[in-house]
Amino acid sequence: MENLNLKLKIWRQSSPNDKGAFVSYDVSGLNTHMSFLEMLDVLNEKLVVTGDDPVAFDHDCREGICGMCSMVINGKPHGPQKGTTTCQLHMRHFKDGDTVTIEPWRAKPFPVLKDLIVDRSSFDRIIQSGGYISVNTGSAPDGNSLPISKEIAEDAFDAAACIGCGACVAACKNASASLFVSAKVSQLSLLPQGQPEREERVKNMVSKMDEEGFGHCTNTGACEAECPKEISLEYIRKLNWEYHRSNIKG
Amino acid sequence: MKTYFTSTIFRKTIASLSGVFLVLFLLGHLLGNLQLFISGEAGQKQFNEYAFFMTTNPVVKILSLVTYTSIILHIALTFYLTIQSKNARPVKYAVSSGTSNSSWASNNMAVLGTFLLIFLVIHLKSFWYEMHFGSVEMDLWGNKDLHSVTVTAFHELWYVLIYLVSMIALGFHLKHGLESAFQTLGVRTRKYSSAITNLTTGLVLLIPIIFASIPIFIYIKNI
Ligand code: HEM
Ligand code: SF4
Ligand code: FES
């Protein structure tokens, strides 16, 4: 259908300290080929014309690789479509007359800055706590000089698909960052380049994750179901193992 | 090392080890209780002798200490972690994703666990407390007659119903709990994932159903 009309209920919050509330908007004449973010652009153009404050939301690449476009759509991070970021979600997944509720990620370590934008620097601090890998700078080594089995390479590559969007935290009833941390830890611990700092890395990243105030993992699987990159729970299993191993080794 | 012991992963691992020990305890407890299916005086004699053995044997005494410790650790740690994680989301969502991305049991472990705790208090008061500190009469063979205490208790319909509902709660708690424990302990690899699902489904059906059949059997025999 070419002409879609929606009723939006959007979380509006002018600043981190503002209480915030839902505000309803009607948008009409939407094209089903639009992405969800383009739909919000249409709303914002309307709001600018009437002199209202446009809805603030994060976005950058709009092609599913940067992980910026965080929002919970009808209770689901990145909306109803599996393995899809909000920017890649098309309006054909909605029906004419639908009410769509849009909320920011909800977690103590992701405080709301404005409307749908949250501060995800807690993720950056977890990454920073992981430190460096001991690889000399200079010209890149010859690809064939580091033999890595196909399975391990693929396993590490699947973990590296994580775009750090935070949907796993948003989806989890405990606001746990385990899926994100497990992907970041596994990506390096599986590969030869990650070995020299392997133990320190996992220990530091897990303490940082706890310190930032994320919840614990109860293996509900909501993160895996909502992750736009479909990162597997297998990495959380690996993380648990990796964490015990590194602490026992000392 | 200090951050290791205070980490969510370590605490969760202890909660899961204690949970797994409690499942092993349940299996043993279940096997012993099967003796309640033996009818007549033979059943009474055998069950009371078994109860005497279970309260006096030194090996069993050590095992029961591990069981008490497991219960306390399990409740304390899961309680602590649950509260901590509740605090990680101070503002709730207006629309909840419900069971669209995760199982009902996995979202209600604390409620199910609290239910089990209430059951545990009732259950321990009726039998464990009576056996250890109550005034249980002697049977013909000179043992405390726990058999009669048990059988009399299950002549009450409301008491049987408490057990049935509690066994359903146990089933759901274990359905998520056991599978989750394998994941927490790091053994649920891709290779074993479906075997673990089959094993837990089997245990989770068998344990509560056989447990529940005991009060039902005793109640029906009496009417
Ligand atoms: C018959 C007794 C019980 C058994 C066999 C049992 C078993 C288990 C197992 C195996 C787990 C999974 C641990 C994991 O995910 O790694 C678990 C989780 C849990 N149990 Fe129990 N449990 C019992 C009683 C209780 C009681 C009495 C409570 C609370 C008062 C309780 C509260 C919880 C909670 C809240 C969780 C989820 C914790 C988490 O995922 O972090 N359980 N239980
Ligand atoms: S694990 Fe998935 S949901 Fe979590 S941050 Fe990475 S890509 Fe996003
Ligand atoms: S805007 Fe970059 S992933 Fe959506």
Side-chain angles (χ1 to χ4, degrees):
Chain A
M1 193 166 97
E2 281 295 301
N3 204 346
L4 188 67
N5 305 298
L6 295 178
K7 195 173 172 57
L8 304 176
K9 268 181 71 187
I10 303 180
W11 182 260
R12 300 303 309 262
Q13 180 174 341
S14 60
S15 70
N17 297 324
D18 178 28
K19 231 175 111 247
F22 281 100
V23 178
S24 295
Y25 301 96
D26 289 310
V27 275
S28 50
L30 298 166
N31 185 312
T32 47
H33 299 304
M34 281 178 177
S35 76
F36 200 86
L37 296 188
E38 284 165 336
M39 182 278 289
L40 287 178
D41 293 339
V42 170
L43 170 71
N44 277 347
E45 276 165 22
K46 221 179 76 177
L47 290 178
V48 169
V49 169
T50 55
D52 290 312
D53 195 19
V55 177
F57 61 90
D58 257 334
H59 61 103
D60 189 10
C61 70
R62 296 205 175 200
E63 52 184 8
I65 51 173
C66 75
M68 287 302 279
C69 49
S70 59
M71 58 191 78
V72 172
I73 303 165
N74 287 338
K76 298 198 145 247
H78 292 297
Q81 193 68 3
K82 217 177 139 43
T84 310
T85 53
T86 305
C87 58
Q88 295 288 295
L89 176 68
H90 286 91
M91 295 314 295
R92 59 174 173 272
H93 298 296
F94 296 86
K95 286 198 303 292
D96 191 40
D98 275 357
T99 298
V100 182
T101 306
I102 312 171
E103 307 173 66
W105 284 176
R106 294 291 190 197
K108 198 163 80 186
F110 287 165
V112 174
L113 294 175
K114 187 170 196 287
D115 299 339
L116 303 173
I117 298 181
V118 298
D119 177 0
R120 279 174 287 192
S121 54
S122 49
F123 264 18
D124 300 338
R125 289 188 292 273
I126 293 176
I127 296 285
Q128 279 161 12
S129 74
Y132 51 81
I133 56 167
S134 293
V135 171
N136 292 330
T137 50
S139 58
D142 175 28
N144 294 326
S145 66
L146 262 185
I148 303 169
S149 78
K150 184 168 185 296
E151 291 102 71
I152 302 251
E154 283 190 351
D155 220 9
F157 195 75
D158 286 347
C162 166
I163 52 176
C165 64
C168 43
V169 175
C172 175
K173 79 178 185 46
N174 308 308
S176 169
S178 295
L179 194 63
F180 165 74
V181 173
S182 74
K184 298 303 173 198
V185 165
S186 301
Q187 171 191 343
L188 290 172
S189 69
L190 283 164
L191 295 176
Q193 293 92 331
Q195 297 312 306
E197 294 83 19
R198 182 171 168 184
E199 286 81 22
E200 283 314 303
R201 184 182 309 113
V202 63
K203 285 199 267 184
N204 291 338
M205 289 179 86
V206 169
S207 344
K208 199 67 187 172
M209 161 182 98
D210 285 347
E211 191 189 310
E212 292 287 344
F214 292 100
H216 78 305
C217 174
T218 63
N219 305 316
T220 67
C223 53
E224 181 189 59
E226 301 296 356
C227 170
K229 298 297 153 185
E230 303 183 294
I231 302 290
S232 163
L233 287 183
E234 162 68 10
Y235 295 106
I236 299 184
R237 183 198 70 78
K238 282 194 170 73
L239 174 70
N240 293 335
W241 204 235
E242 188 71 19
Y243 185 63
H244 294 310
R245 177 190 166 280
S246 300
N247 276 290
I248 290 162
K249 262 186 101 173
Chain B
M1 229 35 192
K2 191 177 152 277
T3 52
Y4 182 47
F5 296 126
T6 55
S7 68
T8 47
I9 295 185
F10 180 80
R11 288 184 170 158
K12 170 75 184 210
T13 304
I14 301 299
S16 112
L17 283 173
S18 58
V20 168
F21 182 82
L22 290 177
V23 173
L24 294 177
F25 158 78
L26 284 182
L27 282 172
H29 191 37
L30 182 61
L31 277 179
N33 286 0
L34 290 179
Q35 296 171 90
L36 286 165
F37 283 114
I38 308 170
S39 47
E41 285 199 341
Q44 185 188 16
K45 179 165 183 285
Q46 182 169 337
F47 188 78
N48 289 339
E49 279 170 359
Y50 166 71
F52 176 76
F53 172 78
M54 293 304 277
T55 42
T56 49
N57 182 285
V59 177
V60 178
K61 274 198 168 159
I62 293 171
L63 279 179
S64 64
L65 280 182
V66 183
T67 309
Y68 303 147
T69 315
S70 294
I71 292 177
I72 292 168
L73 271 180
H74 187 78
I75 294 174
L77 287 170
T78 55
F79 199 78
Y80 179 85
L81 288 168
T82 304
I83 300 284
Q84 190 180 340
S85 290
K86 279 245 177 310
N87 291 336
R89 174 157 301 134
V91 184
K92 306 277 170 274
Y93 289 110
V95 182
S96 140
S97 56
T99 54
S100 66
N101 54 23
S102 50
S103 72
W104 180 83
S106 74
N107 285 309
N108 291 283
M109 289 300 275
V111 177
L112 290 165
T114 307
F115 204 93
L116 290 179
L117 180 60
I118 296 169
F119 167 76
L120 205 61
V121 172
I122 299 174
H123 177 65
L124 290 180
K125 166 71 186 72
S126 304
F127 305 118
W128 179 86
Y129 179 84
E130 289 303 320
M131 186 69 183
H132 285 83
F133 309 107
S135 51
V136 178
E137 291 184 8
M138 294 294 167
D139 65 9
L140 295 174
W141 306 272
N143 290 315
K144 281 190 179 177
D145 194 3
L146 190 64
H147 187 268
S148 297
V149 176
T150 311
V151 169
T152 317
F154 291 136
H155 287 169
E156 299 284 345
L157 183 61
W158 64 270
Y159 198 73
V160 174
L161 287 179
I162 290 181
Y163 272 66
L164 295 192
V165 176
S166 303
M167 287 308 105
I168 294 172
L170 177 67
F172 280 104
H173 193 79
L174 289 189
K175 173 68 189 123
H176 178 69
L178 259 183
E179 229 170 309
S180 170
F182 283 113
Q183 168 84 2
T184 303
L185 298 175
V187 290
R188 193 174 180 271
T189 58
R190 288 198 177 104
K191 191 171 154 200
Y192 298 119
S193 160
S194 62
I196 284 172
T197 306
N198 292 341
L199 175 77
T200 51
T201 311
L203 282 176
V204 159
L205 286 173
L206 280 181
I207 296 177
I209 289 177
I210 302 179
F211 263 126
S213 68
I214 298 170
I216 297 177
F217 173 77
I218 295 175
Y219 183 77
I220 291 177
K221 236 177 52 172
N222 185 49
I223 47 177

